[in-house]
Amino acid sequence: RLFHQNHKTFAPLNVSDYEAISRCEREVPEYFNFASDVLDKWSQIEKEQKGPSNPALWWINGKGDETKWSFEELGFLSKKAANVLSGPCGLQRGDRVLVILPRIPEWWLLKVACMRAGVIIIPGTTQLTAQDICYRLLASKAKCIVTTAVLAPAVDSVASKCQFLKTKLIVSENSRVGWLNFTDLL
């Protein structure tokens, strides 16, 4: 698979490639975006069937339920998720979003969407307390938080103290007052 449009490399860079870059023997792109420079290229190769169709994301939970996305599906969904972030959430390039999710497919989807939209992602563990969440929101000046219904009450208890927080996005099958529902918007 092509790794970079200016090189005929068919695999990720190896150690000698990194050494060549550090010696300025290889060109490094001035601007690099994983979503458009890598994921979209793999998606295009998959569309043209130039390579094997391997899943880009294959997630299985403890119950055996699985989600399997091709590169094309992950690319398409990440574009939709980026539109959610820049549309209803009102985020712009350089804005910060605190994402506190368990390792569910939406976690990876939002990471790629943030890369695509130029939004800075601040990952957080689901073990954070309300005080931890408040500290991270204040310190990061995050304009948006994304979490599940389990942590939404903790966020609600501290949201009034966080003057930069404008949007609360919940990943849940159910709606919550004062929150945008990521699943519905997607």
Side-chain angles (χ1 to χ4, degrees):
R1 297 183 174 160
L2 291 174
F3 182 73
H4 189 275
Q5 66 185 12
N6 298 328
H7 301 287
K8 300 276 189 227
T9 306
F10 286 92
L13 297 174
N14 60 33
V15 175
S16 64
D17 291 327
Y18 288 112
E19 291 170 358
I21 289 170
S22 69
R23 291 190 307 266
C24 298
E25 295 170 0
R26 266 211 160 156
E27 203 174 307
V28 177
E30 184 177 356
Y31 300 101
F32 177 79
N33 184 306
F34 176 82
S36 59
D37 293 335
V38 177
L39 181 64
D40 288 351
K41 298 259 188 280
W42 288 354
S43 175
Q44 187 61 37
I45 290 169
E46 191 177 76
K47 280 183 193 176
E48 296 169 359
Q49 297 182 346
K50 289 184 180 177
S53 183
N54 294 321
L57 179 103
W58 192 351
W59 176 86
I60 303 172
N61 70 8
K63 299 174 188 172
D65 301 327
E66 70 179 46
T67 298
K68 193 185 290 190
W69 292 330
S70 67
F71 288 100
E72 186 177 0
E73 290 168 323
L74 181 57
F76 176 74
L77 289 171
S78 69
K79 288 174 186 173
K80 287 177 71 173
N83 287 337
V84 168
L85 295 174
S86 61
C89 293
L91 298 176
Q92 299 175 359
R93 183 173 294 281
D95 286 343
R96 296 170 186 96
V97 59
L98 179 59
V99 178
I100 307 172
L101 293 174
R103 297 310 179 248
I104 56 177
E106 290 82 359
W107 187 82
W108 281 278
L109 182 59
L110 281 161
K111 286 185 69 101
V112 176
C114 285
M115 289 179 216
R116 192 174 291 284
V119 173
I120 300 166
I121 188 169
I122 303 164
T125 176
T126 56
Q127 297 173 337
L128 295 175
T129 64
Q131 184 178 354
D132 297 329
I133 293 168
C134 183
Y135 172 78
R136 282 164 176 77
L137 287 169
L138 290 170
S140 68
K141 300 178 182 174
K143 291 186 177 180
C144 179
I145 187 165
V146 183
T147 192
T148 61
V150 174
L151 281 174
V155 173
D156 284 337
S157 71
V158 298
S160 62
K161 299 175 192 173
C162 305
Q163 67 270 21
F164 299 102
L165 183 64
K166 304 292 181 219
T167 308
K168 299 181 288 185
L169 193 60
I170 193 166
V171 177
S172 174
E173 293 179 8
N174 303 318
S175 296
R176 185 175 177 88
V177 175
W179 290 74
L180 297 174
N181 188 301
F182 178 74
T183 308
D184 291 345
L185 292 172
L186 193 65

